[in-house]
Amino acid sequence: MKTAIIGAGLSGLCAGYELSKKGIDVAIFESKNVGGLASSYHVNDYHIEKYYHHIFRSDETILKLIDELGLNNKLEWLKGTTGYYINGKIYPLNTPREILQYPHLSLFDKVKLALLVLRSKRKNIEDLDNITATDLILNVAGKSVYENFFEPLLRSKFGDEKDNVSASWLLSRIKIRSDRSLGGERLGYMMGGFYSLIEAILKEIEDKGGEINKKAVNKIITKNNEVKGIEVDNKFIGCDNVISTISPMALNGIIGIPMRTRIKYQGTVCALFALNERLMDDMYWLNIKANVPFGAVIEHTNFAPLNNYGEHLVYVTSYFQSLNNPLWKLSEEEVIKMYLNGLKNLFQSFDEKAIKWWRLTRDIDTAPIFETGFKNKVLPYKTKIKGLYLAGMFSPPNYPERSMNGSIKTGFECAEEVIGDARV
Ligand SMILES: Cc1cc2nc3c(=O)[nH]c(=O)nc-3n(C[C@H](O)[C@H](O)[C@H](O)COP(=O)(O)OP(=O)(O)OC[C@H]3O[C@@H](n4cnc5c(N)ncnc54)[C@H](O)[C@@H]3O)c2cc1C
């Protein structure tokens, strides 16, 4: 039995890993970067993710995989400091004391914010799938907490879709981010980057005889509602099963039979700057309420040890919801210029001369928009076409937020479905 996998992101790689472990013949096809959204740049003598990544202690599946691959020695739990830029000033928001000192919320607001955090501890946050995050915040915590805290965060993550996002998504984020000790939050990161994880999965697949092809799948060939093969470089490759890990819209473009889906995606524009001096004092993640063309500034080397890189690494990032967004349409140089102007607005002492190099990555399908009602849009692994399976950011383990952990679990669970069907 041969299985072709479309996409070598974590969903595809982990489906391939699991299937090849069980002796199933696997061929993975990747049109862009092995590792997908979790892939890295190779600069000087190190690897650094194209998009900033870290994990949480509750990410059980990725932690188990890291262990299984013998990579525990590379995993560190690092202090991930966060702050908020508002009215020209940065406020650290890590410890209860810092939160109490934050001047843009009254004590009463902070009590109401704490009530919202308590809500996230309840078991069935998925029950709030039909309520918007905005309504929940306004009802539980009030207008001031919404305007002075959540609204800029929601805007930077979802743009014009911010008022459509579900309360389930919001509470899942609050839950994971409020799981911290009095000293602040610890986040997981692999020394050498998550590149080491991807390399180790690849090696396991190849050692078991699986193939990784750096080529796009142009078509899925079906006959009488059954998968017959795929088309790559205008050539037919026969297979019994196809696992598609690409967005449902991209799948529609290669399958001929429209796969109805109501899932909307958004894109990300993320610049990485290498600087010869630090940008922020001891701040990893800065959320921003200001008129700048990005939603967050993430200083990776205020999180992972600077010595591992020898230069300061700073991500500047935004999400976009429309292909007409200038951040998607403009040239890379123009986007960088916009970002630099924004950085100069926020950090008066920032000097462009500190930049050693920059890279920009943009993709249109980096996350589903987890709007209300998303729970009913989550796609099952099996489709109505015999032999066609779906596994990706739209699968059950990635609800109500996508993550590396979710995609790894998705890959494993989908592989189990394929194996189960092969036994019947
Ligand atoms: C900005 C950003 C920050 C993030 N931060 C974190 C974080 O801190 N922690 C965390 O856990 N997660 C984070 N994530 C999420 C995480 O990266 C993703 O959930 C996960 O990597 C998705 O894996 P996937 O395999 O499901 O999808 P993808 O990685 O999108 O893989 C799909 C692959 O299919 C390929 N493809 C598309 N069309 C074709 C075709 N026709 N033929 C062949 N190949 C094709 C694509 O090139 C892609 O490589 C972040 C994501 C982004 C964008």
Side-chain angles (χ1 to χ4, degrees):
M1 186 179 70
K2 181 163 179 161
T3 300
I5 299 176
I6 309 177
L10 282 166
S11 296
L13 287 175
C14 288
Y17 171 75
E18 197 62 19
L19 289 172
S20 54
K21 239 173 41 178
K22 303 274 163 63
I24 290 173
D25 192 6
V26 164
I28 304 181
F29 295 84
E30 170 55 51
S31 58
K32 266 168 133 181
N33 304 303
V34 172
L37 296 176
S39 62
S40 295
Y41 300 115
H42 186 193
V43 199
N44 302 328
D45 57 350
Y46 64 82
H47 290 90
I48 175 75
E49 292 76 14
K50 294 182 174 173
Y51 297 115
Y52 43 93
H53 276 78
H54 54 242
I55 56 171
F56 301 95
R57 288 197 196 268
S58 54
D59 287 343
E60 287 174 8
T61 312
I62 190 170
L63 291 174
K64 204 163 151 246
L65 179 62
I66 290 171
D67 185 38
E68 189 173 309
L69 294 169
L71 297 173
N72 267 339
N73 60 338
K74 292 195 184 284
L75 179 67
E76 302 256 352
W77 292 96
L78 305 166
K79 208 166 164 188
T81 47
T82 58
Y84 208 109
Y85 180 100
I86 181 165
N87 289 355
K89 222 180 143 192
I90 293 178
Y91 297 92
L93 288 177
N94 302 293
T95 60
R97 191 191 156 111
E98 286 170 351
I99 294 166
L100 278 172
Q101 284 172 346
Y102 180 64
H104 294 279
L105 293 178
S106 67
L107 188 59
F108 186 47
D109 286 341
K110 284 168 195 164
V111 171
K112 288 187 290 181
L113 181 59
L115 285 179
L116 194 60
V117 174
L118 279 180
R119 281 276 180 116
S120 74
K121 311 283 178 204
R122 62 188 253 180
K123 278 208 177 99
N124 301 325
I125 54 179
E126 292 183 15
D127 292 350
L128 297 176
D129 191 61
N130 283 317
I131 297 169
T132 66
T134 303
D135 282 345
L136 182 77
I137 301 163
L138 289 171
N139 289 340
V140 177
K143 196 162 172 263
S144 163
V145 174
Y146 177 70
E147 285 176 356
N148 292 311
F149 195 75
F150 283 107
E151 195 274 346
L153 302 182
L154 287 170
R155 181 179 293 285
S156 83
K157 181 94 184 180
F158 294 106
D160 290 343
E161 298 279 355
K162 73 177 169 54
D163 292 328
N164 300 328
V165 171
S166 81
S168 302
W169 175 85
L170 177 80
L171 289 188
S172 76
R173 298 318 293 157
I174 296 180
K175 184 176 180 182
I176 210 161
R177 301 311 300 246
S178 57
D179 178 18
R180 54 179 70 190
S181 68
L182 286 179
E185 191 176 26
R186 292 261 160 190
L187 301 168
Y189 189 70
M190 291 182 72
M191 297 302 107
F194 288 103
Y195 167 83
S196 344
L197 175 65
I198 284 153
E199 280 295 288
I201 304 170
L202 268 182
K203 184 172 179 307
E204 289 290 322
I205 297 172
E206 286 174 339
D207 285 355
K208 302 242 165 14
E211 292 168 29
I212 316 275
N213 303 283
K214 290 189 187 143
K215 289 183 172 178
V217 172
N218 307 121
K219 227 178 197 175
I220 299 174
I221 315 288
T222 60
K223 195 173 169 196
N224 299 333
N225 220 29
E226 196 174 323
V227 164
K228 293 292 168 196
I230 53 171
E231 198 179 283
V232 176
D233 285 344
N234 291 322
K235 280 193 205 111
F236 174 78
I237 301 173
C239 60
D240 308 287
N241 298 309
V242 168
I243 300 178
S244 171
T245 72
I246 64 183
S247 71
M249 294 79 70
L251 175 64
N252 268 341
I254 61 170
I255 183 123
I257 309 159
M259 311 282 294
R260 280 204 199 100
T261 171
R262 292 166 297 144
I263 297 180
K264 286 192 249 171
Y265 269 66
Q266 59 178 355
T268 308
V269 179
C270 185
L272 177 63
F273 294 98
L275 306 177
N276 56 26
E277 61 192 25
R278 70 185 339 168
L279 180 69
M280 298 184 283
D281 286 337
D282 194 32
M283 183 72 65
Y284 168 47
W285 191 292
L286 185 69
N287 292 310
I288 298 158
K289 184 180 179 182
N291 189 16
V292 287
F294 45 81
V297 176
I298 298 152
E299 190 151 353
H300 181 76
T301 40
N302 281 347
F303 172 56
L306 174 64
N307 281 346
N308 293 0
Y309 309 93
E311 49 198 359
H312 300 264
L313 297 174
V314 178
Y315 293 101
V316 176
T317 185
S318 0
Y319 282 94
F320 62 92
Q321 292 71 35
S322 152
L323 296 184
N324 289 324
N325 192 309
L327 292 174
W328 176 249
K329 287 177 89 175
L330 291 175
S331 70
E332 290 199 352
E333 287 71 20
E334 286 166 320
V335 172
I336 292 294
K337 204 168 163 202
M338 281 170 74
Y339 276 7
L340 289 177
N341 286 338
L343 283 179
K344 282 183 214 155
N345 257 335
L346 300 188
F347 307 99
Q348 309 303 323
S349 59
F350 172 66
D351 184 347
E352 272 186 44
K353 288 195 196 103
I355 301 171
K356 294 173 75 179
W357 54 261
W358 59 262
R359 300 271 192 285
L360 189 79
T361 294
R362 298 186 270 196
D363 285 290
I364 53 169
D365 44 12
T366 55
I369 297 174
F370 293 97
E371 56 193 344
T372 49
F374 195 92
K375 199 171 158 189
N376 293 326
K377 297 180 189 168
V378 168
L379 295 171
Y381 297 118
K382 272 191 216 179
T383 67
K384 288 187 180 139
I385 299 171
K386 190 164 177 259
L388 177 63
Y389 298 82
L390 308 180
M393 291 187 279
F394 43 76
S395 300
N398 273 316
Y399 172 83
E401 170 63 310
R402 55 90 167 107
S403 65
M404 292 192 286
N405 188 70
S407 284
I408 291 170
K409 197 165 178 210
T410 287
F412 290 163
E413 288 185 359
C414 184
E416 285 305 325
E417 291 269 352
V418 172
I419 293 162
D421 287 349
R423 279 196 208 107
V424 178

